[in-house]
Amino acid sequence: MNPIDTISSNRRSILQGLAAAAMVPLASPATAAESLPPPPTGSAAAVATDKAYWTAVKGLYAVTPDIVNFENGYWGIMPEPVRREFIRQSDMVNFQNTFYARQRVGADFEAVRAKVAAAVGAAPEEIALTRGATEALQLLIGGYNRLKPGDGVLYADLDYDSMQYAMNALKARRGVDVVKFDIPEPATRQAVLDAYARAIEANPKTRLLLLTHVSHRTGFVMPVTEIARMAKAKGIDTIVDAAHSWGQIDFRVTDLESDFVGFNLHKWIGAPLGVGFLYIRKDRLADIDRAMGDEDYAETDIRSRVHTGTVNFATVLTVPTAVALHLEIGAAAKQARLRYLRDYWVSRARGFKDIEILTPDEAGSYGAITSFRLAGKTSKADNEAIVAKLRDTHRIMTVRRAGVAKGQCIRVTPALFTDEADLDRLVEALAVVTGTKTG
């Protein structure tokens, strides 16, 4: 057979295979967790240490054996039921193409929005889907329209970089004064409350305050409810960054007592990359401008506050499976397990030579994430060298974090697939890196 005949034959075979595949019906939707036993019961400690249950949860994840990953704050790996559903939905969207997009996607997205709203404790008309928490918070900060020239806006050093940029941009956009202050270190709940009280008192023209529920830099869980009350008493609105908290910490949106909140779904909920949502309490919608003058939705519809164009349909359609698994395991159980994993390594590493743990052991002030630095090692180069040694010598993945007032640090973030053996390996590596142990 000559080369041209070979190419034609191969092309026919490929097309025949595709046609046959098109005739096969799509699999039915994945269930949340086909192999999980009933969730454990009892005290938080009993739930967190139920070995059989958490081994089953770990079995839902396919994770590379090449490295022990403690950089799970970037985004959350999809559990296998979620990954399979994402593939199924990708196949469906690709197969039906614009016919699906023009005929069904609106109703399907509304069903997703309703499920997310129910899970977070909001009304569907109070949330709008976004491509992540950064987009959600940029829209809330940039769209907040109750500022006038001469007003003040306030944020802290532990707030996320992109949100700091958005707050800084309000100076040119709204003519306001922008003030940044530092969270005390070492942080404690009372010290943080006092720091916010001082900052509010020192800046009486403040009308908008950015709050971060769980800091991506240190993992400190801010007492946002108390701070929001403090701010409200002074006529100050708050916008809360909950990118890292929902799915890591057990709460509902109304617990935060803030009228404007941005969320991620691809971190601790485990949805595919590129999805989040914003929350606006229903009676505060008018205080956030429509996104770029959106006219696709009525001004009274929260969806007019987001205008992103075409999104990855399969990503959004997979969210209910991720939320279902989150609910099946349970927010309280996830919180207990993640705090246990954090305590497991911190309780031993805290006594190592020259190590400074930035995240306090105080109840309610931490989740999974904890950051550390070595005494005197505050520069980018210092911390990148430590990250490289952990990665290249000990096969442990961590990440350097900048932006902390007293110097850069290293963030450690376990996940639900982390077990005690992984943490033992981390502790051994930290003992060597700190010089507590030779190796």
Side-chain angles (χ1 to χ4, degrees), residues 112-133:
V112 173
R113 192 163 72 122
K115 288 183 183 298
V116 171
V120 80
E125 61 269 24
E126 292 180 314
I127 75 163
L129 298 171
T130 67
R131 291 174 296 185

Side-chain angles (χ1 to χ4, degrees), residues 183-189 191-192 220 350 357-360 406:
I183 298 298
E185 186 184 315
T188 65
R189 181 183 181 85
V192 167
F220 184 79
R350 192 175 282 282
I357 304 293
L358 276 61
T359 318
K406 288 193 175 181

Side-chain angles (χ1 to χ4, degrees), residues 15-190:
L15 291 173
Q16 288 167 357
L18 289 173
M23 299 300 291
V24 177
L26 291 168
S28 43
T31 57
E34 300 94 329
S35 58
L36 280 186
T41 58
S43 67
V47 168
T49 55
D50 188 312
K51 188 170 182 61
Y53 182 75
W54 296 110
T55 298
V57 170
K58 180 175 182 174
L60 296 176
Y61 294 85
V63 182
T64 176
D66 296 338
I67 198 159
V68 178
N69 192 347
F70 288 110
E71 194 348 34
N72 297 294
Y74 197 170
W75 76 83
I77 185 174
M78 286 183 282
E80 284 298 285
V82 178
R83 185 187 66 81
R84 290 196 298 270
E85 178 67 358
F86 180 54
I87 293 170
R88 189 187 80 86
Q89 294 289 1
S90 297
D91 288 344
M92 182 278 292
V93 171
N94 193 62
F95 180 61
Q96 297 197 13
N97 198 255
T98 53
F99 174 75
Y100 170 76
R102 297 297 186 191
Q103 301 297 316
R104 284 177 40 204
V105 74
D108 286 353
F109 274 31
E110 276 304 279
V112 173
R113 192 163 72 122
K115 288 183 183 298
V116 171
V120 80
E125 61 269 24
E126 292 180 314
I127 75 163
L129 298 171
T130 67
R131 291 174 296 185
T134 294
E135 181 178 63
L137 289 157
Q138 286 173 335
L139 291 166
L140 291 171
I141 293 167
Y144 181 78
N145 58 32
R146 291 177 60 84
L147 296 171
K148 63 182 186 299
D151 286 343
V153 300
L154 193 61
Y155 68 86
D157 65 322
L158 294 190
D159 293 321
Y160 190 60
D161 304 76
S162 298
M163 280 44 273
Q164 293 190 25
Y165 307 157
M167 294 291 281
N168 290 338
L170 293 176
K171 182 176 180 62
R173 182 168 185 164
R174 305 287 188 186
V176 299
D177 296 323
V178 181
V179 177
K180 176 182 178 181
F181 71 100
D182 298 337
I183 298 298
E185 186 184 315
T188 65
R189 181 183 181 85
Q190 190 58 53

Side-chain angles (χ1 to χ4, degrees), residues 8 50 58 64 80 151 167 203 211 213 242 248 251 285 291 375:
S8 297
D50 188 312
K58 180 175 182 174
T64 176
E80 284 298 285
D151 286 343
M167 294 291 281
N203 297 279
L211 293 173
H213 195 188
Q248 183 182 172
F251 73 98
L285 183 60

Side-chain angles (χ1 to χ4, degrees), residues 233-266:
K234 298 285 188 178
I236 300 170
D237 273 324
T238 54
I239 294 176
V240 173
D241 177 348
H244 265 291
S245 56
W246 195 47
Q248 183 182 172
I249 304 296
D250 182 15
F251 73 98
R252 293 168 76 80
V253 66
T254 50
D255 296 336
L256 303 179
E257 297 192 19
S258 179
D259 299 336
F260 312 104
V261 189
F263 289 88
N264 247 320
L265 288 163
H266 59 234

Side-chain angles (χ1 to χ4, degrees), residues 19 43-44 65 99 101 136 150 211 220 236 281 298 327 344 366 401 417:
S43 67
F99 174 75
L211 293 173
F220 184 79
I236 300 170
R281 203 181 75 189
L327 294 174
Y344 186 92
Y366 65 89
R401 294 289 79 182
F417 56 78

